[in-house]
Amino acid sequence: MKFLRNLVEGMKPTFSKGGKLEKLHWVFDGLETFLFTPGHATERGAHIRDGIDLKRTMSIVITAMIPCLLFGMWNVGHQHYNALGFLREVEVGFWHKMMFGAVKVLPIVVVSYGVGLGIEFLFTSIKGHPIQEGYLVSGMLIPLVMPVETPLWMVAVGSAFAVIIGKEVFGGTGMNILNVALTARAFLFFAYPTMMSGDKVWVSTANDMNFPLVDGFSGATSLGHAAAGNISKVTPMMDSFWGLEAGSIGETSAFACLIGAAVLIITGIGSWRIMLATLLGGAAMATLFNWVGPQLDEAYTTRMYMQIPVLHQLVLGGFMFGLVFMATDPVTATQTNTGKWIYGFLIGLLAILIRVVNPAYPEGMMLAILFMNVMAPLIDHYVVQANIKRRMKRVALQTA
Amino acid sequence: MSTETAAPAKPADGLFSKKNRKLITDPLNDNNPITVQVLGICSALAITVKLENALVMSASVMAVLIAGNMIISALRNLIPGRIRIIAQLVIAAGLVTLVDIILKAYVYDVSKQVGVYVGLIITNCILMGRFEAYAMGNKPIPSAMDAIGNSLGYAWILVAVAFFRELFGNGSLMGLRIIPESFYAMNGGGYFNNNMMILPPMALVIVGIIIWIQRARNTKLIEQA
């Protein structure tokens, strides 16, 4: 550690005012404050500075995502060998699957970070402000919500769009209206629908083509099957919970997401109110569908989908992932406590509603969160207004 | 008395005097109808999927705007103030119908594609905006200049947006293939058309990016905080 400190201190004059590489000052500053908590002290007034700044916050969120990432890598390998039938003939070991997944997943992570941070650095140099660390989390979220077969250039285009149009035009980190990672996914979903949905992209079958696929293999996700009406092909509940199903890289395992949720809640970084409210909203809608479903006649194609048990509905697809890592994004969520309950509840409600009723969008979580991101300021506004009204009434009562 | 206070007659401006030139160049950048006045956005979103449609639309708007501006300017002292909007609409509607008939007669295929939008030129805010703001108070020749300037300002934005939308959304320009077939995934390449470009929201994003670049370069447009 001391070596690193000395190295940073030694390089400092080169990047400070008057130094040779003055232009790159903010890039250097960004890296320095990433490695060490900055020693800035507040100059005026008595303010207490918490040791946990934005970089530390972001690092904890990334830590919370590691279970999802690791499980995602393993699952990519698992799904791959499963599709090729290796599981029947030779047992492929844990590390074998892990390695295959790592080779597939890590390039996506690298591209996402490379493009996103590159653009951030560019804007930093142009505008001359400190590097904003918001992309640390988005850069990890983007790979986790991509199908494994997404071409790298698409990841690059999506990340660039999300950083520039989703964030920089609004003024950078902390100013964005929409969740950056979901902006990237939504852009790619609408721009390249064949690569972001359907039954070809979720399981990596591209290489090893000399091995035939297993008979009856289908690469569709559970939600894809359900939307197409094949309820019998939906992954069983416990498999969905552990994550043994096809899907975007990091979102299949509800279990890994729950570990992340525990980390976020214990450290106080993610809002438990939003998580709980989203869960309740989803459960409420699923319960409603459970009740409505059996009463519909055959003409309604979604009647079987509606009857999936509540808990199963909640562990399918990206619901848990979105709930833990995306709905709780402190920038785009509501700020008031009452607002958080309303915001979370409506996300859960809409996600299940879109997923079941609209077969064109098998996963409603993305659209539900983006929609509620837009609504969040409105919710906050009314919560604040209601509070003012209530207190005004109290004042009027006392003076009367 | 009145003869004493009358302003001295100003010498007539030449056709290409500084003032008239400004009428044409201003709307191209500083006072662009789409990016600065934010008028005519609907048509910029609707018909910019293909470059050809954008060009036909621009030409149609230009014809209607020039003729309309000149007619209204010539009639400006005859139109009663209280019914001027109706009068302007009637003139615009007549001209639009004329353009529509001409398109149908000579370029039937294009006319079928842009069909409904040509009719909607009547509701293009740029038209009413220029009629109200300029033609009602100025002579026919400057009005024509103003119309040329504004329709050119409208046209270049439309063409720029359509250029990117057709190139990335369809891989072609004016119907000619630019990105070779062999690049596409179905032929073994790794390229896909960007479907988002075909959707109207992306036109709005492109117009937004043009506004962004324009404001960053043109210091006159930067709003004072």
Side-chain angles (χ1 to χ4, degrees), chain B residues 40-200:
Chain B
I41 287 284
C42 340
S43 55
L45 304 193
I47 47 87
T48 48
V49 175
K50 287 193 174 131
L51 195 53
E52 191 180 16
N53 296 358
L55 285 172
V56 170
M57 187 71 180
S58 303
S60 310
V61 168
M62 186 180 277
V64 173
L65 192 53
I66 294 173
N69 245 9
M70 287 181 79
I71 293 172
I72 285 167
S73 171
L75 295 176
R76 69 187 187 280
N77 295 326
L78 299 175
I79 300 174
R82 304 178 76 171
I83 58 159
R84 64 185 193 283
I85 302 280
I86 300 289
Q88 288 162 10
L89 265 180
V90 169
I91 292 167
L95 290 166
V96 167
T97 313
L98 216 60
V99 166
D100 197 22
I101 292 171
I102 292 172
L103 284 183
K104 274 195 185 125
Y106 290 99
V107 277
Y108 186 65
D109 289 339
V110 179
S111 154
K112 264 202 297 195
Q113 283 182 26
V114 296
V116 63
Y117 297 110
V118 169
L120 287 176
I121 293 178
I122 303 170
T123 60
N124 192 322
C125 320
I126 296 174
L127 242 66
M128 299 308 288
R130 291 336 290 173
F131 291 171
E132 247 326 81
Y134 202 90
M136 284 302 285
N138 287 286
K139 290 182 175 162
I141 297 296
S143 294
M145 295 287 180
D146 179 74
I148 293 173
N150 275 286
S151 46
L152 282 178
Y154 173 76
W156 86 258
I157 300 287
L158 239 66
V159 168
V161 174
F163 175 84
F164 289 111
R165 286 185 80 187
E166 189 175 354
L167 183 61
F168 293 111
N170 232 341
S172 60
L173 283 177
M174 298 293 290
L176 291 172
R177 187 132 291 281
I178 300 292
I179 296 167
E181 288 282 357
S182 58
F183 281 19
Y184 284 90
M186 61 188 124
N187 300 325
Y191 186 79
F192 293 85
N193 279 330
N194 190 327
N195 209 35
M196 187 87 176
M197 285 286 177
I198 310 276
L199 302 173

Side-chain angles (χ1 to χ4, degrees), chain A residues 27-40:
Chain A
V27 176
F28 174 77
D29 177 80
L31 293 178
E32 187 201 352
T33 49
F34 180 71
L35 292 171
F36 299 102
T37 311
H40 311 153

Side-chain angles (χ1 to χ4, degrees), chain A residues 88-339:
Chain A
R88 280 188 206 160
E89 293 161 26
V90 235
E91 188 63 36
V92 176
F94 172 81
W95 288 109
H96 209 110
K97 290 177 184 169
M98 201 72 187
M99 277 309 293
F100 180 86
V103 167
K104 281 277 173 192
V105 173
L106 287 182
I108 301 182
V109 178
V110 170
V111 167
S112 157
Y113 270 119
V115 171
L117 288 179
I119 293 171
E120 290 261 353
F121 281 15
L122 194 70
F123 273 89
T124 294
S125 307
I126 294 174
K127 288 181 175 169
H129 60 62
I131 284 182
Q132 297 166 329
E133 40 284 278
Y135 195 72
L136 285 178
V137 167
S138 311
M140 183 57 92
L141 278 172
I142 289 174
L144 293 185
V145 294
M146 295 288 160
V148 63
E149 287 291 86
T150 314
L152 293 179
W153 66 267
M154 263 182 208
V155 178
V157 170
S159 310
F161 181 86
V163 173
I164 297 175
I165 303 296
K167 198 162 79 169
E168 288 299 339
V169 292
F170 293 107
T173 301
M175 303 295 203
N176 46 316
I177 296 170
L178 300 173
N179 184 304
V180 177
L182 278 182
T183 310
R185 193 179 197 282
F187 174 76
L188 292 179
F189 181 83
F190 288 109
Y192 308 106
T194 49
M195 293 308 290
M196 294 298 289
S197 54
D199 53 5
K200 296 276 187 292
V201 295
W202 307 103
V203 177
S204 170
T205 53
N207 45 7
D208 288 350
M209 260 333 210
N210 36 354
F211 294 102
L213 295 179
V214 172
D215 279 349
F217 169 76
S218 160
T221 61
S222 292
L223 295 176
H225 282 310
N230 305 324
I231 300 296
S232 58
K233 285 192 181 165
V234 172
T235 326
M237 160 115 180
M238 280 328 274
D239 282 358
S240 290
F241 177 75
W242 295 113
L244 304 172
E245 59 176 334
S248 299
I249 293 168
E251 47 95 57
T252 55
S253 172
F255 179 69
C257 294
L258 285 178
I259 299 176
V263 173
L264 290 183
I265 291 175
I266 290 168
T267 53
I269 286 186
S271 161
W272 62 269
R273 287 187 183 86
I274 293 178
M275 293 191 206
L276 187 60
T278 310
L279 204 65
L280 289 176
M285 198 70 212
T287 312
L288 187 68
F289 277 142
N290 275 186
W291 178 68
V292 170
Q295 303 178 27
L296 298 173
D297 57 55
E298 295 289 334
Y300 289 90
T301 47
T302 52
R303 63 187 285 277
M304 290 311 289
Y305 198 169
M306 288 182 183
Q307 295 176 44
I308 292 181
V310 175
L311 278 177
H312 193 182
Q313 187 76 268
L314 295 183
V315 295
L316 280 178
F319 188 86
M320 289 306 275
F321 188 83
L323 177 156
V324 174
F325 295 109
M326 301 201 153
T328 55
D329 175 1
V331 176
T332 54
T334 43
Q335 309 296 321
T336 53
N337 279 345
T338 319

